[in-house]
Amino acid sequence: MSSIYLKNLQTNPQSTDTVNSNYVFTDLYMDLTQDTETVMGKTSLSKAGKVWKKDLKVLHDESAIANSIFYIMNTLPGQRPLVPTFGCDLRKFIAQPITEYTTKMIQDTIFSALRTWEPRIKVTAVEVEPNPEQHEYNITIQAAVPKLSQPYINVFAKLTQSGELKRV
């Protein structure tokens, strides 16, 4: 059996490379990229002034929640074998005609998925604006985050013709 060691998610008072205790939420960046930081004047640099921290990228507070929202909306039900109902099947709307009904169905699907799978937020509004010329939808999600000092976040996305959900 193998193990994965995630140094960024544990607290060690002896180390200077630990999670800041001022954060309420800490999540892994779902693309599983290594974390980098820009440092000027150092000699042990990799490309373009970035130093590899040799750990997975983590996000905190608003960024962690926004990343989680995108993860939920980009995951098709059935993609996670141990939680087969997890996700939000937005791709099924791409082949549908752009109508008021389809727009409302997208809105309801997002609202329901976030209410079910993201307990840290209370979704206050989901706005879906169709763009018929490009056959895509612009999505705005407004949510209350009671545990953060900034109590509201806005997440902007675009559901493209190919079924990809892009951050805007």
Side-chain angles (χ1 to χ4, degrees):
M1 177 181 248
S2 62
S3 299
I4 297 175
Y5 177 66
L6 301 173
K7 184 171 70 173
N8 279 349
L9 295 180
Q10 71 182 154
T11 303
N12 178 354
Q14 303 300 320
S15 172
T16 60
D17 191 23
T18 60
V19 175
N20 183 338
S21 62
N22 294 328
Y23 296 124
V24 177
F25 303 115
T26 300
D27 289 341
L28 286 176
Y29 185 67
M30 296 316 297
D31 287 342
L32 296 179
T33 58
Q34 278 189 318
D35 195 8
T36 62
E37 74 180 13
T38 303
V39 179
M40 298 298 168
K42 295 237 178 174
T43 57
S44 61
L45 300 177
S46 65
K47 297 180 186 174
K50 303 235 184 242
V51 174
W52 294 101
K53 291 184 179 179
K54 296 185 181 182
D55 206 345
L56 296 176
K57 184 175 182 178
V58 293
L59 301 170
H60 304 286
D61 295 342
E62 293 90 357
S63 297
I65 291 171
N67 188 65
S68 176
I69 288 170
F70 276 98
Y71 180 64
I72 292 166
M73 293 186 350
N74 273 318
T75 302
L76 291 171
Q79 275 185 306
R80 291 184 58 185
L82 298 178
V83 190
T85 58
F86 180 86
C88 181
D89 190 4
L90 295 177
R91 291 178 185 103
K92 69 183 176 188
F93 298 110
I94 294 304
Q96 301 296 320
I98 295 181
T99 63
E100 194 174 309
Y101 176 76
T102 305
T103 302
K104 178 73 171 131
M105 291 302 296
I106 292 171
Q107 184 179 22
D108 291 347
T109 300
I110 293 169
F111 188 85
S112 177
L114 294 179
R115 187 180 63 230
T116 303
W117 299 111
E118 184 47 88
R120 300 175 290 186
I121 66 172
K122 180 177 178 9
V123 178
T124 56
V126 176
E127 298 173 13
V128 179
E129 295 179 28
N131 183 349
E133 294 82 25
Q134 300 296 320
H135 201 78
E136 55 189 28
Y137 297 90
N138 295 316
I139 300 168
T140 303
I141 299 165
Q142 298 171 345
V145 189
K147 292 188 178 181
L148 294 181
S149 60
Q150 178 183 342
Y152 293 95
I153 64 167
N154 292 316
V155 175
F156 304 98
K158 183 181 292 189
L159 181 60
T160 67
Q161 186 174 6
S162 65
E164 181 183 3
L165 189 74
K166 293 184 175 183
R167 296 174 193 246
V168 179

